[in-house]
Amino acid sequence: NAGVMQNPRHLVRRRGQEARLRCSPMKGHSHVYWYRQLPEEGLKFMVYLQKENIIDESGMPKERFSAEFPKEGPSILRIQQVVRGDSAAYFCASSAGTALFEQYFGPGTRLTVT
Amino acid sequence: AQKVTQAQTEISVVEKEDVTLDCVYETRDTTYYLFWYKQPPSGELVFLIRRNSFDEQNEISGRYSWNFQKSTSSFNFTITASQVVDSAVYFCALSEFGQGAQKLVFGQGTRLTINP
């Protein structure tokens, strides 16, 4: 059973470009969480999605960031007009259900903005 | 709001020494989970343990052990007879429930270096 997959593993973007990060949850999982890890810091929650629905986006920056989890295909975290401060590791986690189900983390995408 | 404090930013020990990583948490929930993750230099997150708030029994897994004390809101992690491969950043995390989600609140991490 494949684990959570994220791609690309490394992404370099120039300031002002768009970054698209993909997360394929574990088979059978329909709940996805995105976390961001800034350099030398712990992970911080960004957004929680179920298929076709954003449930909690309380950790998402108000501008330039968006997330989706379509009926078919991976979850996408999209960052428009990237700035240097967006450089971070972005982790996705999936679970089989709500609250009490365990989360499984992907390997992360390391975004570098030059 | 939930909070996790890992007061030790960096620890450096010599191989074979025992080392304890501290974790103190704050929560108003009566039901919660506590976690430890390891992040080696390669960058992925490696799950180590999940502990339910109702289970205060200490846990041992090989050279790893965890001491959960609700009275002091602490969930400390001890590595016995440390090895160079234990070098990593270790994160303690706490669950935060809301809107059907279990968001994890992470501490700042402790960078552990095991010297040969």
Side-chain angles (χ1 to χ4, degrees), chain A residues 98-111:
Chain A
T98 56
L100 299 181
F101 285 81
E102 194 162 341
Q103 292 178 32
Y104 296 83
F105 280 86
T109 293
R110 269 133 198 95
L111 171 66

Side-chain angles (χ1 to χ4, degrees), chain A residues 30-50:
Chain A
S30 58
H31 300 249
V32 165
Y33 298 78
W34 284 93
Y35 293 83
R36 177 166 68 171
Q37 183 181 25
L38 293 170
E40 305 301 319
E41 292 188 16
L43 283 72
K44 293 218 170 22
F45 167 80
M46 298 181 75
V47 62
Y48 165 53
L49 310 101
Q50 295 177 21

Side-chain angles (χ1 to χ4, degrees), chain A residues 9 33 35 37 40-45 48 50 55-56 58 91 98-103 105-107 110, chain B residues 31 33 35 37 39 42-45 47 50 91 97-109 111:
Chain A
R9 295 291 307 275
Y33 298 78
Y35 293 83
Q37 183 181 25
E40 305 301 319
E41 292 188 16
L43 283 72
K44 293 218 170 22
F45 167 80
Y48 165 53
Q50 295 177 21
I55 307 301
D56 184 345
S58 57
F91 288 91
T98 56
L100 299 181
F101 285 81
E102 194 162 341
Q103 292 178 32
F105 280 86
R110 269 133 198 95
Chain B
T31 301
Y33 290 95
F35 304 78
Y37 288 88
Q39 188 173 43
S42 51
E44 75 272 21
L45 277 178
F47 169 82
R50 178 173 86 155
F91 291 99
F97 295 101
Q99 300 188 59
Q102 183 193 166
K103 299 181 282 193
L104 298 188
V105 177
F106 285 79
Q108 291 287 87
R111 182 177 298 278

Side-chain angles (χ1 to χ4, degrees), chain B residues 21-65:
Chain B
L21 283 60
D22 297 333
C23 173
V24 174
Y25 63 92
E26 297 174 30
T27 181
R28 290 184 179 177
D29 292 342
T30 52
T31 301
Y32 53 89
Y33 290 95
L34 292 161
F35 304 78
W36 275 95
Y37 288 88
K38 174 182 179 180
Q39 188 173 43
S42 51
E44 75 272 21
L45 277 178
V46 178
F47 169 82
L48 295 178
I49 190 170
R50 178 173 86 155
R51 173 62 70 192
N52 184 299
S53 55
F54 293 110
D55 182 2
E56 285 192 73
Q57 276 196 326
N58 290 334
E59 173 109 4
I60 298 175
S61 176
R63 296 183 297 106
Y64 294 170
S65 63

